C-alpha cells in the first residue's frame, strides 16, 4: 500500500496534485451508494478533489446531486464505466444491484471487479492523480487497484460501529461454534453490555450460504489489509463501539456522519428531494400535505430500497396504520408487483384514509419528509441510512428488520439508544435459507405505532432521547465536532506530498 509520504509523481512521471484526491468506488446499491456520494461531497467541501466511479444506471441516480455540487464550486466528478456483460455472463443492462437477477449476482460481482483496469487507466490519463481509494468493503478487488496506483485504501461502511463490532466479535470468538440451530440465541462476546443474537440475524457478511464462502473470505482479507475505515456514524452516539472496533481491527476509524446532513448545508437544500433517486411524488405536493398536519403527528413508513412487504403483509400493515389513527405517509416501493387482490385492498384503504393517509407508490423524498415538523415517528426496516436519517431528524422509530445488519441496527436503536419500539420480528424476512411465511399482524402494527406516537412517560422519554441525539448529530458535523474534525483530518492526511 501507499502512504501519506509517497512521492509527488506517479510511475509515468506526471506530477501529482498537492491536494487530496479521493477515488470513491461505492457498491452499486442505494443503501451503500447514497452515503458514499454524500461522504465524497462532504470531503469536497473541505477542499478535496473527489472522483466517484459508477456504472451508467448508478451514475444516473446520483448525477443530479453531483451536478448540483459541481455548480456550487465543489471539485467532484462522476465517471461512468461500462460492465462487460458478455464476458461476465450478465444480461445486457444489468449494471446495478437492483436490476441484476438473483441467480446472476456472482457474475455481477465478477463483472464489477473487471473495472479495476479501466478505472486505473482513466485515473492515469485524467489528472489530478489520486491520493487515496475509498471503496465499499464489498469491493475487495480494490486492493489491487490501490496497489497498482501506489496509494492507500480505506474501507467504507454505510453502517454503525456497534453492528460491525458485534459481527466481528461473534466471528472472532467463534460464538456460533457448536450451535446447530440458526435461530438459537448466543451472547455477543467481548462487550460490557449483554446483547443476544442468532446466526440467522447476524451470520457475517456473505456467510449465509456456503456457496459464497470464498467471496466472504476475500472480503475479510481485504478488510484486514485496509489502511483505515470510513464510517457513516458519529462518535458522540457510540464512543465505546467506535473505539472498540478500531482496537479490534487495529486500524484508524474515521466517523464522518450523519452524512445526510450535507443536504442541510446552505445551498444544498434543493438536493433533498432528489437524493439518490427521482421521487415518485412531487416534493411540493408532499410538503403541502405535511404543512396541513399538526406538528409531530405524522408517521412515516418506508422499508427502503430493497426490503418490501409481501402482499398479505402489506394489507396487514395498512390495516394496522389505519387502526392506529395517526396521519401517515406510507411508501410502497414495489406496489405494481402486487396481485390484483392486494392492489384492490390498498386502493380501498387509500379511499378510507383520504386526507390523513398518503400512499406513495414508488419513491418519496425521505430526508425531506423526515425533516418536516409534522413528522413525529418513523416505521423503518432498520437499514442504517434510514436509521441515521431518523436520528438526525430527532425521531423515534418502530423497528422492523428484514435481513443482515438490520437486526443489529434494531438493537442499536432499541437496546443501546432507547429510541425504538420493536414489532418483534426475530428471523430474516428476506434471503432466507428456507421459505417461511412470517406476517406481522395488524394489531401488532397498531400497538407499535400507538406506543411510538402516544403519550405517557415511556413514549416521551423516547422522544427526548431522539431529540438529544439530533442535537449531538448536528454538533458532530459542525466546526470542532467529531465528524467535522475527521473530515478535515482525512483531507489533510491524504494530501499528496509537495
Amino acid at each position: 500500500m501507499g502512504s501519506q509520504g509517497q512521492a509527488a509523481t506517479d510511475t509515468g512521471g506526471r506530477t501529482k496534485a498537492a491536494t487530496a484526491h479521493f477515488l470513491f468506488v461505492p457498491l452499486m446499491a442505494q443503501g451503500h451508494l447514497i452515503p458514499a456520494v454524500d461522504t465524497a461531497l462532504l470531503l469536497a467541501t473541505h477542499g478535496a478533489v473527489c472522483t466517484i466511479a459508477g456504472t451508467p444506471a448508478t451514475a444516473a441516480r446520483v448525477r443530479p446531486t453531483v451536478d448540483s455540487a459541481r455548480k456550487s464550486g465543489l471539485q467532484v466528478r462522476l465517471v461512468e464505466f461500462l460492465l462487460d456483460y458478455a464476458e461476465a455472463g450478465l444480461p445486457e443492462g444489468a449494471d446495478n444491484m437492483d436490476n441484476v437477477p438473483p441467480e446472476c449476482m456472482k457474475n455481477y460481482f465478477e463483472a464489477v471487479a473487471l473495472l479495476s483496469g479501466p478505472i486505473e487507466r482513466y485515473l492515469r490519463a485524467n489528472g489530478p492523480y489520486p491520493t487515496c481509494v475509498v471503496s465499499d468493503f464489498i469491493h475487495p478487488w480494490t486492493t489491487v487497484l490501490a496497489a497498482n496506483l501506489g496509494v492507500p485504501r480505506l474501507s467504507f461502511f454505510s453502517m454503525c460501529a456497534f453492528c460491525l463490532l458485534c459481527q466481528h466479535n461473534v466471528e472472532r470468538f467463534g460464538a456460533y461454534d457448536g450451535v446447530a440451530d440458526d435461530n438459537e440465541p448466543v451472547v455477543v462476546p467481548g462487550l460490557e453490555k449483554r446483547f443476544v443474537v442468532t446466526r440467522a440475524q447476524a451470520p457475517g457478511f456473505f456467510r449465509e450460504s456456503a456457496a459464497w464462502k470464498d467471496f466472504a473470505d476475500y472480503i475479510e482479507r481485504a478488510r484486514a489489509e485496509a489502511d483505515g475505515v470510513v464510517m457513516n456514524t458519529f462518535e458522540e452516539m457510540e464512543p465505546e463501539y467506535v473505539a472498540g472496533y478500531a482496537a479490534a481491527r487495529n486500524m484508524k476509524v474515521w466517523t464522518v456522519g450523519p452524512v445526510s446532513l450535507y443536504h442541510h448545508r446552505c445551498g444544498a437544500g434543493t438536493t433533498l428531494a432528489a437524493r439518490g433517486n427521482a421521487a415518485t411524488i412531487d416534493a411540493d405536493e408532499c410538503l403541502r400535505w405535511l404543512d396541513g398536519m399538526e406538528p409531530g403527528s405524522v408517521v412515516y413508513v418506508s422499508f427502503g430500497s430493497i426490503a418490501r412487504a409481501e402482499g398479505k403483509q402489506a394489507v396487514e400493515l395498512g390495516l394496522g396504520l389505519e387502526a392506529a389513527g395517526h396521519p401517515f405517509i406510507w411508501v410502497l416501493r414495489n406496489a405494481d408487483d402486487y396481485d390484483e387482490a392486494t392492489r384492490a385492498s390498498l386502493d380501498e384503504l387509500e379511499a378510507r384514509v383520504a386526507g390523513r393517509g398518503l400512499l406513495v407508490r414508488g419513491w418519496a423524498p425521505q430526508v425531506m419528509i423526515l425533516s418536516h415538523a409534522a413528522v413525529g415517528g418513523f416505521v423503518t426496516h432498520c437499514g442504517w441510512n434510514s436509521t441515521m436519517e431518523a436520528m438526525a431528524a430527532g425521531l423515534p422509530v418502530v423497528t422492523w428488520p428484514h435481513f443482515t445488519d438490520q437486526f443489529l441496527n434494531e438493537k442499536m436503536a432499541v437496546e443501546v439508544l432507547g429510541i425504538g419500539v420493536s414489532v418483534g420480528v426475530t428471523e430474516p424476512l428476506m434471503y432466507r435459507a428456507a421459505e417461511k411465511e412470517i406476517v406481522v399482524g395488524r394489531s401488532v402494527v397498531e400497538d407499535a405505532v400507538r406506543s411510538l406516537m402516544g403519550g405517557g412517560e415511556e413514549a416521551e422519554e423516547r422522544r427526548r432521547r431522539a431529540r438529544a441525539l439530533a442535537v449531538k448529530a448536528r454538533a458532530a458535523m459542525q466546526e470542532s465536532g467529531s465528524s467535522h474534525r475527521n473530515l478535515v483530518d482525512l483531507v489533510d492526511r491524504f494530501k499528496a506530498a509537495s
Side-chain angles (χ1 to χ4, degrees), residues 349-364:
L349 169 71
E350 189 170 29
R352 290 196 305 270
V353 300
R356 76 169 178 90
L358 183 62
L359 276 65
V360 180
R361 292 168 174 81
W363 291 92

Side-chain angles (χ1 to χ4, degrees), residues 6 10 92 105 184 275 315 339 357 398 436:
Q6 65 194 18
D10 69 7
E92 192 74 21
M105 199 56 73
E184 181 177 336
R275 182 173 180 254
V315 171
D339 60 28
V398 167
K436 179 180 179 181

